[in-house]
PDB file of all heavy atoms in Angstrom:
ATOM      1  N   ILE A  80    -173.552  21.337  30.380  1.00 95.00           N
ATOM      2  CA  ILE A  80    -174.611  22.256  30.621  1.00 95.00           C
ATOM      3  C   ILE A  80    -173.969  23.621  31.182  1.00 95.00           C
ATOM      4  O   ILE A  80    -173.201  23.545  32.141  1.00 95.00           O
ATOM      5  CB  ILE A  80    -175.634  21.687  31.548  1.00 95.00           C
ATOM      6  CG1 ILE A  80    -176.265  20.346  31.144  1.00 95.00           C
ATOM      7  CG2 ILE A  80    -176.749  22.629  31.941  1.00 95.00           C
ATOM      8  CD1 ILE A  80    -177.130  19.652  32.046  1.00 95.00           C
ATOM      9  N   GLY A  81    -174.422  24.696  30.635  1.00 93.00           N
ATOM     10  CA  GLY A  81    -173.977  26.009  31.144  1.00 93.00           C
ATOM     11  C   GLY A  81    -174.742  27.114  30.402  1.00 93.00           C
ATOM     12  O   GLY A  81    -175.628  26.940  29.685  1.00 93.00           O
ATOM     13  N   TYR A  82    -174.346  28.303  30.874  1.00 90.00           N
ATOM     14  CA  TYR A  82    -174.980  29.569  30.301  1.00 90.00           C
ATOM     15  C   TYR A  82    -174.341  29.807  28.924  1.00 90.00           C
ATOM     16  O   TYR A  82    -173.152  29.697  28.874  1.00 90.00           O
ATOM     17  CB  TYR A  82    -175.041  30.797  31.200  1.00 90.00           C
ATOM     18  CG  TYR A  82    -175.876  30.484  32.502  1.00 90.00           C
ATOM     19  CD1 TYR A  82    -175.433  30.074  33.591  1.00 90.00           C
ATOM     20  CD2 TYR A  82    -177.212  30.774  32.297  1.00 90.00           C
ATOM     21  CE1 TYR A  82    -176.279  29.961  34.677  1.00 90.00           C
ATOM     22  CE2 TYR A  82    -178.101  30.636  33.377  1.00 90.00           C
ATOM     23  CZ  TYR A  82    -177.602  30.223  34.556  1.00 90.00           C
ATOM     24  OH  TYR A  82    -178.361  29.988  35.588  1.00 90.00           O
ATOM     25  N   PRO A  83    -175.078  30.193  27.923  1.00 83.00           N
ATOM     26  CA  PRO A  83    -174.511  30.516  26.711  1.00 83.00           C
ATOM     27  C   PRO A  83    -173.658  31.836  26.802  1.00 83.00           C
ATOM     28  O   PRO A  83    -174.078  32.683  27.468  1.00 83.00           O
ATOM     29  CB  PRO A  83    -175.751  30.633  25.679  1.00 83.00           C
ATOM     30  CG  PRO A  83    -176.797  31.017  26.565  1.00 83.00           C
ATOM     31  CD  PRO A  83    -176.621  30.408  27.889  1.00 83.00           C
ATOM     32  N   VAL A  84    -172.660  31.856  25.931  1.00 83.00           N
ATOM     33  CA  VAL A  84    -171.743  33.037  25.889  1.00 83.00           C
ATOM     34  C   VAL A  84    -172.464  34.043  24.765  1.00 83.00           C
ATOM     35  O   VAL A  84    -173.176  33.535  23.904  1.00 83.00           O
ATOM     36  CB  VAL A  84    -170.332  32.842  25.499  1.00 83.00           C
ATOM     37  CG1 VAL A  84    -169.740  32.037  26.548  1.00 83.00           C
ATOM     38  CG2 VAL A  84    -170.283  32.104  24.198  1.00 83.00           C
ATOM     39  N   ASP A  85    -172.319  35.366  24.985  1.00 83.00           N
ATOM     40  CA  ASP A  85    -172.954  36.240  24.120  1.00 83.00           C
ATOM     41  C   ASP A  85    -172.459  36.217  22.696  1.00 83.00           C
ATOM     42  O   ASP A  85    -173.213  36.435  21.765  1.00 83.00           O
ATOM     43  CB  ASP A  85    -172.761  37.663  24.758  1.00 83.00           C
ATOM     44  CG  ASP A  85    -173.578  37.922  25.974  1.00 83.00           C
ATOM     45  OD1 ASP A  85    -174.539  37.178  26.233  1.00 83.00           O
ATOM     46  OD2 ASP A  85    -173.049  38.731  26.827  1.00 83.00           O
ATOM     47  N   ASP A  86    -171.181  35.923  22.493  1.00 84.00           N
ATOM     48  CA  ASP A  86    -170.588  35.968  21.225  1.00 84.00           C
ATOM     49  C   ASP A  86    -170.472  34.647  20.510  1.00 84.00           C
ATOM     50  O   ASP A  86    -169.610  34.393  19.707  1.00 84.00           O
ATOM     51  CB  ASP A  86    -169.263  36.648  21.145  1.00 84.00           C
ATOM     52  CG  ASP A  86    -168.243  36.081  22.148  1.00 84.00           C
ATOM     53  OD1 ASP A  86    -168.648  35.132  22.919  1.00 84.00           O
ATOM     54  OD2 ASP A  86    -167.061  36.354  22.142  1.00 84.00           O
ATOM     55  N   TYR A  87    -171.271  33.632  20.861  1.00 77.00           N
ATOM     56  CA  TYR A  87    -171.190  32.249  20.368  1.00 77.00           C
ATOM     57  C   TYR A  87    -171.422  32.347  18.885  1.00 77.00           C
ATOM     58  O   TYR A  87    -172.362  32.872  18.369  1.00 77.00           O
ATOM     59  CB  TYR A  87    -172.090  31.366  21.061  1.00 77.00           C
ATOM     60  CG  TYR A  87    -172.283  30.097  20.366  1.00 77.00           C
ATOM     61  CD1 TYR A  87    -171.269  29.057  20.623  1.00 77.00           C
ATOM     62  CD2 TYR A  87    -173.343  29.666  19.578  1.00 77.00           C
ATOM     63  CE1 TYR A  87    -171.306  27.822  19.984  1.00 77.00           C
ATOM     64  CE2 TYR A  87    -173.401  28.447  18.939  1.00 77.00           C
ATOM     65  CZ  TYR A  87    -172.416  27.574  19.102  1.00 77.00           C
ATOM     66  OH  TYR A  87    -172.490  26.352  18.522  1.00 77.00           O
ATOM     67  N   GLN A  88    -170.529  31.608  18.172  1.00 76.00           N
ATOM     68  CA  GLN A  88    -170.734  31.352  16.748  1.00 76.00           C
ATOM     69  C   GLN A  88    -170.600  29.906  16.464  1.00 76.00           C
ATOM     70  O   GLN A  88    -169.631  29.202  16.933  1.00 76.00           O
ATOM     71  CB  GLN A  88    -169.647  32.061  15.977  1.00 76.00           C
ATOM     72  CG  GLN A  88    -169.803  33.586  15.971  1.00 76.00           C
ATOM     73  CD  GLN A  88    -170.990  34.056  15.389  1.00 76.00           C
ATOM     74  OE1 GLN A  88    -171.457  33.536  14.228  1.00 76.00           O
ATOM     75  NE2 GLN A  88    -171.718  34.959  15.912  1.00 76.00           N
ATOM     76  N   PRO A  89    -171.523  29.213  15.772  1.00 73.00           N
ATOM     77  CA  PRO A  89    -171.350  27.804  15.591  1.00 73.00           C
ATOM     78  C   PRO A  89    -170.221  27.507  14.674  1.00 73.00           C
ATOM     79  O   PRO A  89    -169.785  28.240  13.897  1.00 73.00           O
ATOM     80  CB  PRO A  89    -172.751  27.412  14.849  1.00 73.00           C
ATOM     81  CG  PRO A  89    -173.525  28.573  14.812  1.00 73.00           C
ATOM     82  CD  PRO A  89    -172.748  29.823  15.292  1.00 73.00           C
ATOM     83  N   ASN A  90    -169.647  26.325  14.952  1.00 74.00           N
ATOM     84  CA  ASN A  90    -168.501  25.793  14.132  1.00 74.00           C
ATOM     85  C   ASN A  90    -169.112  25.641  12.649  1.00 74.00           C
ATOM     86  O   ASN A  90    -169.824  24.746  12.523  1.00 74.00           O
ATOM     87  CB  ASN A  90    -167.956  24.503  14.749  1.00 74.00           C
ATOM     88  CG  ASN A  90    -166.774  24.001  13.996  1.00 74.00           C
ATOM     89  OD1 ASN A  90    -166.604  24.234  12.747  1.00 74.00           O
ATOM     90  ND2 ASN A  90    -165.911  23.239  14.670  1.00 74.00           N
ATOM     91  N   PRO A  91    -168.525  26.299  11.633  1.00 78.00           N
ATOM     92  CA  PRO A  91    -169.000  26.245  10.289  1.00 78.00           C
ATOM     93  C   PRO A  91    -168.701  24.770   9.752  1.00 78.00           C
ATOM     94  O   PRO A  91    -169.462  24.283   8.874  1.00 78.00           O
ATOM     95  CB  PRO A  91    -168.374  27.278   9.489  1.00 78.00           C
ATOM     96  CG  PRO A  91    -167.123  27.679  10.396  1.00 78.00           C
ATOM     97  CD  PRO A  91    -167.532  27.331  11.750  1.00 78.00           C
ATOM     98  N   LYS A  92    -167.804  24.053  10.293  1.00 77.00           N
ATOM     99  CA  LYS A  92    -167.473  22.726   9.778  1.00 77.00           C
ATOM    100  C   LYS A  92    -168.584  21.800  10.155  1.00 77.00           C
ATOM    101  O   LYS A  92    -168.803  20.772   9.619  1.00 77.00           O
ATOM    102  CB  LYS A  92    -166.069  22.223  10.230  1.00 77.00           C
ATOM    103  CG  LYS A  92    -164.903  22.968   9.642  1.00 77.00           C
ATOM    104  CD  LYS A  92    -163.654  22.466  10.195  1.00 77.00           C
ATOM    105  CE  LYS A  92    -162.515  23.151   9.739  1.00 77.00           C
ATOM    106  NZ  LYS A  92    -161.192  22.658  10.350  1.00 77.00           N
ATOM    107  N   LEU A  93    -169.231  22.040  11.361  1.00 71.00           N
ATOM    108  CA  LEU A  93    -170.274  21.175  11.813  1.00 71.00           C
ATOM    109  C   LEU A  93    -171.650  21.663  11.541  1.00 71.00           C
ATOM    110  O   LEU A  93    -172.602  20.823  11.302  1.00 71.00           O
ATOM    111  CB  LEU A  93    -170.068  20.925  13.284  1.00 71.00           C
ATOM    112  CG  LEU A  93    -168.720  20.512  13.813  1.00 71.00           C
ATOM    113  CD1 LEU A  93    -168.686  20.431  15.265  1.00 71.00           C
ATOM    114  CD2 LEU A  93    -168.484  19.095  13.292  1.00 71.00           C
ATOM    115  N   SER A  94    -171.913  22.908  11.659  1.00 65.00           N
ATOM    116  CA  SER A  94    -173.290  23.441  11.498  1.00 65.00           C
ATOM    117  C   SER A  94    -173.788  23.515  10.019  1.00 65.00           C
ATOM    118  O   SER A  94    -174.941  23.764   9.795  1.00 65.00           O
ATOM    119  CB  SER A  94    -173.343  24.801  12.098  1.00 65.00           C
ATOM    120  OG  SER A  94    -172.507  25.715  11.466  1.00 65.00           O
ATOM    121  N   THR A  95    -172.907  23.301   9.117  1.00 69.00           N
ATOM    122  CA  THR A  95    -173.410  23.329   7.720  1.00 69.00           C
ATOM    123  C   THR A  95    -173.550  21.911   7.067  1.00 69.00           C
ATOM    124  O   THR A  95    -173.709  21.834   5.828  1.00 69.00           O
ATOM    125  CB  THR A  95    -172.511  24.263   6.937  1.00 69.00           C
ATOM    126  OG1 THR A  95    -171.163  23.680   6.994  1.00 69.00           O
ATOM    127  CG2 THR A  95    -172.437  25.650   7.457  1.00 69.00           C
ATOM    128  N   ARG A  96    -173.361  20.939   7.791  1.00 72.00           N
ATOM    129  CA  ARG A  96    -173.278  19.565   7.185  1.00 72.00           C
ATOM    130  C   ARG A  96    -174.596  18.863   7.178  1.00 72.00           C
ATOM    131  O   ARG A  96    -174.723  17.698   6.918  1.00 72.00           O
ATOM    132  CB  ARG A  96    -172.277  18.738   7.994  1.00 72.00           C
ATOM    133  CG  ARG A  96    -170.865  19.323   7.901  1.00 72.00           C
ATOM    134  CD  ARG A  96    -169.849  18.475   8.616  1.00 72.00           C
ATOM    135  NE  ARG A  96    -169.931  17.008   8.302  1.00 72.00           N
ATOM    136  CZ  ARG A  96    -169.199  16.117   8.972  1.00 72.00           C
ATOM    137  NH1 ARG A  96    -168.343  16.511   9.768  1.00 72.00           N
ATOM    138  NH2 ARG A  96    -169.355  14.819   8.801  1.00 72.00           N
ATOM    139  N   ARG A  97    -175.663  19.557   7.479  1.00 76.00           N
ATOM    140  CA  ARG A  97    -176.986  18.922   7.458  1.00 76.00           C
ATOM    141  C   ARG A  97    -177.471  18.656   6.045  1.00 76.00           C
ATOM    142  O   ARG A  97    -177.359  19.525   5.179  1.00 76.00           O
ATOM    143  CB  ARG A  97    -178.034  19.758   8.205  1.00 76.00           C
ATOM    144  CG  ARG A  97    -177.877  19.840   9.633  1.00 76.00           C
ATOM    145  CD  ARG A  97    -178.997  20.598  10.309  1.00 76.00           C
ATOM    146  NE  ARG A  97    -178.848  20.543  11.670  1.00 76.00           N
ATOM    147  CZ  ARG A  97    -179.621  21.207  12.559  1.00 76.00           C
ATOM    148  NH1 ARG A  97    -180.689  21.897  12.044  1.00 76.00           N
ATOM    149  NH2 ARG A  97    -179.384  21.173  13.819  1.00 76.00           N
ATOM    150  N   LYS A  98    -178.075  17.521   5.879  1.00 82.00           N
ATOM    151  CA  LYS A  98    -178.684  17.239   4.580  1.00 82.00           C
ATOM    152  C   LYS A  98    -180.048  17.789   4.581  1.00 82.00           C
ATOM    153  O   LYS A  98    -180.660  18.005   5.514  1.00 82.00           O
ATOM    154  CB  LYS A  98    -178.825  15.719   4.443  1.00 82.00           C
ATOM    155  CG  LYS A  98    -177.522  14.949   4.262  1.00 82.00           C
ATOM    156  CD  LYS A  98    -177.817  13.470   3.908  1.00 82.00           C
ATOM    157  CE  LYS A  98    -176.545  12.803   3.641  1.00 82.00           C
ATOM    158  NZ  LYS A  98    -176.719  11.417   3.148  1.00 82.00           N
ATOM    159  N   PRO A  99    -180.573  18.150   3.330  1.00 84.00           N
ATOM    160  CA  PRO A  99    -181.933  18.742   3.238  1.00 84.00           C
ATOM    161  C   PRO A  99    -182.853  17.716   3.678  1.00 84.00           C
ATOM    162  O   PRO A  99    -182.705  16.460   3.544  1.00 84.00           O
ATOM    163  CB  PRO A  99    -182.085  19.055   1.733  1.00 84.00           C
ATOM    164  CG  PRO A  99    -180.886  18.566   1.034  1.00 84.00           C
ATOM    165  CD  PRO A  99    -179.951  18.064   1.997  1.00 84.00           C
ATOM    166  N   LEU A 100    -184.106  18.131   4.287  1.00 84.00           N
ATOM    167  CA  LEU A 100    -185.055  17.283   4.722  1.00 84.00           C
ATOM    168  C   LEU A 100    -185.552  16.283   3.708  1.00 84.00           C
ATOM    169  O   LEU A 100    -185.954  15.185   3.879  1.00 84.00           O
ATOM    170  CB  LEU A 100    -186.192  18.069   5.287  1.00 84.00           C
ATOM    171  CG  LEU A 100    -185.961  18.683   6.679  1.00 84.00           C
ATOM    172  CD1 LEU A 100    -187.237  19.478   7.088  1.00 84.00           C
ATOM    173  CD2 LEU A 100    -185.722  17.581   7.719  1.00 84.00           C
ATOM    174  N   THR A 101    -185.564  16.822   2.398  1.00 81.00           N
ATOM    175  CA  THR A 101    -185.961  15.942   1.236  1.00 81.00           C
ATOM    176  C   THR A 101    -185.111  14.655   1.132  1.00 81.00           C
ATOM    177  O   THR A 101    -185.568  13.787   0.543  1.00 81.00           O
ATOM    178  CB  THR A 101    -185.949  16.728  -0.048  1.00 81.00           C
ATOM    179  OG1 THR A 101    -184.739  17.224  -0.340  1.00 81.00           O
ATOM    180  CG2 THR A 101    -187.013  17.932  -0.023  1.00 81.00           C
ATOM    181  N   GLU A 102    -183.979  14.748   1.678  1.00 81.00           N
ATOM    182  CA  GLU A 102    -183.068  13.528   1.680  1.00 81.00           C
ATOM    183  C   GLU A 102    -183.197  12.662   2.884  1.00 81.00           C
ATOM    184  O   GLU A 102    -182.583  11.546   2.965  1.00 81.00           O
ATOM    185  CB  GLU A 102    -181.559  13.889   1.476  1.00 81.00           C
ATOM    186  CG  GLU A 102    -181.343  14.556   0.112  1.00 81.00           C
ATOM    187  CD  GLU A 102    -179.826  14.858  -0.004  1.00 81.00           C
ATOM    188  OE1 GLU A 102    -178.968  14.127   0.537  1.00 81.00           O
ATOM    189  OE2 GLU A 102    -179.524  15.753  -0.758  1.00 81.00           O
ATOM    190  N   THR A 103    -183.908  13.160   3.905  1.00 81.00           N
ATOM    191  CA  THR A 103    -183.867  12.328   5.180  1.00 81.00           C
ATOM    192  C   THR A 103    -185.191  12.024   5.687  1.00 81.00           C
ATOM    193  O   THR A 103    -185.350  11.279   6.550  1.00 81.00           O
ATOM    194  CB  THR A 103    -183.056  13.190   6.308  1.00 81.00           C
ATOM    195  OG1 THR A 103    -183.714  14.386   6.366  1.00 81.00           O
ATOM    196  CG2 THR A 103    -181.647  13.432   5.992  1.00 81.00           C
ATOM    197  N   CYS A 104    -186.197  12.620   5.181  1.00 80.00           N
ATOM    198  CA  CYS A 104    -187.633  12.474   5.642  1.00 80.00           C
ATOM    199  C   CYS A 104    -188.497  12.099   4.413  1.00 80.00           C
ATOM    200  O   CYS A 104    -188.496  12.674   3.256  1.00 80.00           O
ATOM    201  CB  CYS A 104    -188.247  13.665   6.265  1.00 80.00           C
ATOM    202  SG  CYS A 104    -187.387  14.200   7.766  1.00 80.00           S
ATOM    203  N   PHE A 105    -189.268  10.906   4.593  1.00 73.00           N
ATOM    204  CA  PHE A 105    -190.068  10.452   3.435  1.00 73.00           C
ATOM    205  C   PHE A 105    -191.492  10.224   3.804  1.00 73.00           C
ATOM    206  O   PHE A 105    -191.713   9.766   4.925  1.00 73.00           O
ATOM    207  CB  PHE A 105    -189.377   9.176   2.952  1.00 73.00           C
ATOM    208  CG  PHE A 105    -187.979   9.281   2.656  1.00 73.00           C
ATOM    209  CD1 PHE A 105    -187.102   8.716   3.653  1.00 73.00           C
ATOM    210  CD2 PHE A 105    -187.453   9.979   1.610  1.00 73.00           C
ATOM    211  CE1 PHE A 105    -185.641   8.805   3.462  1.00 73.00           C
ATOM    212  CE2 PHE A 105    -186.024  10.096   1.385  1.00 73.00           C
ATOM    213  CZ  PHE A 105    -185.152   9.484   2.355  1.00 73.00           C
ATOM    214  N   LEU A 106    -192.428  10.519   3.019  1.00 73.00           N
ATOM    215  CA  LEU A 106    -193.819  10.341   3.363  1.00 73.00           C
ATOM    216  C   LEU A 106    -194.282   8.947   3.383  1.00 73.00           C
ATOM    217  O   LEU A 106    -194.924   8.604   4.356  1.00 73.00           O
ATOM    218  CB  LEU A 106    -194.683  11.193   2.225  1.00 73.00           C
ATOM    219  CG  LEU A 106    -196.147  11.221   2.531  1.00 73.00           C
ATOM    220  CD1 LEU A 106    -196.464  11.788   3.873  1.00 73.00           C
ATOM    221  CD2 LEU A 106    -196.849  12.047   1.444  1.00 73.00           C
ATOM    222  N   THR A 107    -193.786   8.132   2.302  1.00 70.00           N
ATOM    223  CA  THR A 107    -194.343   6.861   2.375  1.00 70.00           C
ATOM    224  C   THR A 107    -193.178   5.736   2.419  1.00 70.00           C
ATOM    225  O   THR A 107    -193.175   4.919   3.273  1.00 70.00           O
ATOM    226  CB  THR A 107    -195.123   6.541   1.075  1.00 70.00           C
ATOM    227  OG1 THR A 107    -194.371   6.870  -0.091  1.00 70.00           O
ATOM    228  CG2 THR A 107    -196.380   7.329   1.155  1.00 70.00           C
ATOM    229  N   LYS A 108    -192.240   5.916   1.511  1.00 65.00           N
ATOM    230  CA  LYS A 108    -191.126   5.018   1.510  1.00 65.00           C
ATOM    231  C   LYS A 108    -189.834   5.677   1.083  1.00 65.00           C
ATOM    232  O   LYS A 108    -189.918   6.695   0.383  1.00 65.00           O
ATOM    233  CB  LYS A 108    -191.457   3.730   0.620  1.00 65.00           C
ATOM    234  CG  LYS A 108    -191.711   4.060  -0.781  1.00 65.00           C
ATOM    235  CD  LYS A 108    -192.031   2.821  -1.582  1.00 65.00           C
ATOM    236  CE  LYS A 108    -192.297   3.208  -2.960  1.00 65.00           C
ATOM    237  NZ  LYS A 108    -192.672   2.115  -3.918  1.00 65.00           N
ATOM    238  N   SER A 109    -188.722   5.090   1.360  1.00 60.00           N
ATOM    239  CA  SER A 109    -187.457   5.766   1.020  1.00 60.00           C
ATOM    240  C   SER A 109    -187.178   5.564  -0.500  1.00 60.00           C
ATOM    241  O   SER A 109    -187.564   4.490  -0.987  1.00 60.00           O
ATOM    242  CB  SER A 109    -186.389   5.184   1.935  1.00 60.00           C
ATOM    243  OG  SER A 109    -186.229   3.799   1.662  1.00 60.00           O
ATOM    244  N   PRO A 110    -186.563   6.494  -1.062  1.00 60.00           N
ATOM    245  CA  PRO A 110    -186.287   6.348  -2.498  1.00 60.00           C
ATOM    246  C   PRO A 110    -185.142   5.332  -2.641  1.00 60.00           C
ATOM    247  O   PRO A 110    -184.387   5.089  -1.741  1.00 60.00           O
ATOM    248  CB  PRO A 110    -185.782   7.815  -2.913  1.00 60.00           C
ATOM    249  CG  PRO A 110    -185.382   8.369  -1.552  1.00 60.00           C
ATOM    250  CD  PRO A 110    -186.237   7.789  -0.490  1.00 60.00           C
ATOM    251  N   ALA A 111    -185.046   4.772  -3.798  1.00 61.00           N
ATOM    252  CA  ALA A 111    -184.008   3.735  -4.125  1.00 61.00           C
ATOM    253  C   ALA A 111    -182.657   4.404  -3.879  1.00 61.00           C
ATOM    254  O   ALA A 111    -182.448   5.595  -4.217  1.00 61.00           O
ATOM    255  CB  ALA A 111    -184.111   3.292  -5.562  1.00 61.00           C
ATOM    256  N   ASN A 112    -181.781   3.638  -3.333  1.00 55.00           N
ATOM    257  CA  ASN A 112    -180.413   4.123  -3.065  1.00 55.00           C
ATOM    258  C   ASN A 112    -180.223   5.292  -2.054  1.00 55.00           C
ATOM    259  O   ASN A 112    -179.375   6.038  -2.163  1.00 55.00           O
ATOM    260  CB  ASN A 112    -179.620   4.364  -4.303  1.00 55.00           C
ATOM    261  CG  ASN A 112    -179.608   3.071  -5.203  1.00 55.00           C
ATOM    262  OD1 ASN A 112    -179.371   1.947  -4.785  1.00 55.00           O
ATOM    263  ND2 ASN A 112    -179.836   3.328  -6.492  1.00 55.00           N
ATOM    264  N   ALA A 113    -181.296   5.372  -1.294  1.00 55.00           N
ATOM    265  CA  ALA A 113    -181.273   6.655  -0.341  1.00 55.00           C
ATOM    266  C   ALA A 113    -179.960   6.699   0.536  1.00 55.00           C
ATOM    267  O   ALA A 113    -179.515   7.728   0.865  1.00 55.00           O
ATOM    268  CB  ALA A 113    -182.449   6.598   0.579  1.00 55.00           C
ATOM    269  N   TYR A 114    -179.408   5.479   0.833  1.00 55.00           N
ATOM    270  CA  TYR A 114    -178.184   5.439   1.754  1.00 55.00           C
ATOM    271  C   TYR A 114    -176.917   5.165   1.021  1.00 55.00           C
ATOM    272  O   TYR A 114    -175.955   5.050   1.589  1.00 55.00           O
ATOM    273  CB  TYR A 114    -178.452   4.416   2.911  1.00 55.00           C
ATOM    274  CG  TYR A 114    -179.656   4.832   3.710  1.00 55.00           C
ATOM    275  CD1 TYR A 114    -180.894   4.145   3.586  1.00 55.00           C
ATOM    276  CD2 TYR A 114    -179.494   5.812   4.662  1.00 55.00           C
ATOM    277  CE1 TYR A 114    -181.900   4.546   4.366  1.00 55.00           C
ATOM    278  CE2 TYR A 114    -180.591   6.155   5.381  1.00 55.00           C
ATOM    279  CZ  TYR A 114    -181.802   5.483   5.287  1.00 55.00           C
ATOM    280  OH  TYR A 114    -182.825   5.867   6.062  1.00 55.00           O
ATOM    281  N   LYS A 115    -177.077   5.172  -0.339  1.00 55.00           N
ATOM    282  CA  LYS A 115    -175.831   4.933  -1.126  1.00 55.00           C
ATOM    283  C   LYS A 115    -174.713   5.816  -0.838  1.00 55.00           C
ATOM    284  O   LYS A 115    -173.576   5.483  -0.799  1.00 55.00           O
ATOM    285  CB  LYS A 115    -176.235   4.936  -2.655  1.00 55.00           C
ATOM    286  CG  LYS A 115    -175.147   4.547  -3.537  1.00 55.00           C
ATOM    287  CD  LYS A 115    -175.563   4.613  -4.976  1.00 55.00           C
ATOM    288  CE  LYS A 115    -174.505   4.236  -5.970  1.00 55.00           C
ATOM    289  NZ  LYS A 115    -174.911   4.337  -7.339  1.00 55.00           N
ATOM    290  N   ASN A 116    -175.058   7.124  -0.730  1.00 52.00           N
ATOM    291  CA  ASN A 116    -174.028   8.145  -0.543  1.00 52.00           C
ATOM    292  C   ASN A 116    -174.049   8.681   0.935  1.00 52.00           C
ATOM    293  O   ASN A 116    -173.527   9.752   1.198  1.00 52.00           O
ATOM    294  CB  ASN A 116    -174.179   9.308  -1.510  1.00 52.00           C
ATOM    295  CG  ASN A 116    -174.048   8.882  -2.878  1.00 52.00           C
ATOM    296  OD1 ASN A 116    -173.120   8.090  -3.223  1.00 52.00           O
ATOM    297  ND2 ASN A 116    -174.951   9.282  -3.815  1.00 52.00           N
TER     298      ASN A 116
END
Side-chain angles (χ1 to χ4, degrees):
I80 302 175
Y82 290 98
V84 295
D85 293 332
D86 60 349
Y87 170 75
Q88 294 294 318
N90 182 335
K92 292 180 182 178
L93 302 175
S94 61
T95 59
R96 293 177 52 180
R97 289 188 176 174
K98 290 185 175 190
L100 287 178
T101 56
E102 290 184 30
T103 59
C104 296
F105 311 103
L106 182 57
T107 55
K108 59 182 178 179
S109 64
N112 302 318
Y114 298 103
K115 182 178 180 183
N116 297 319

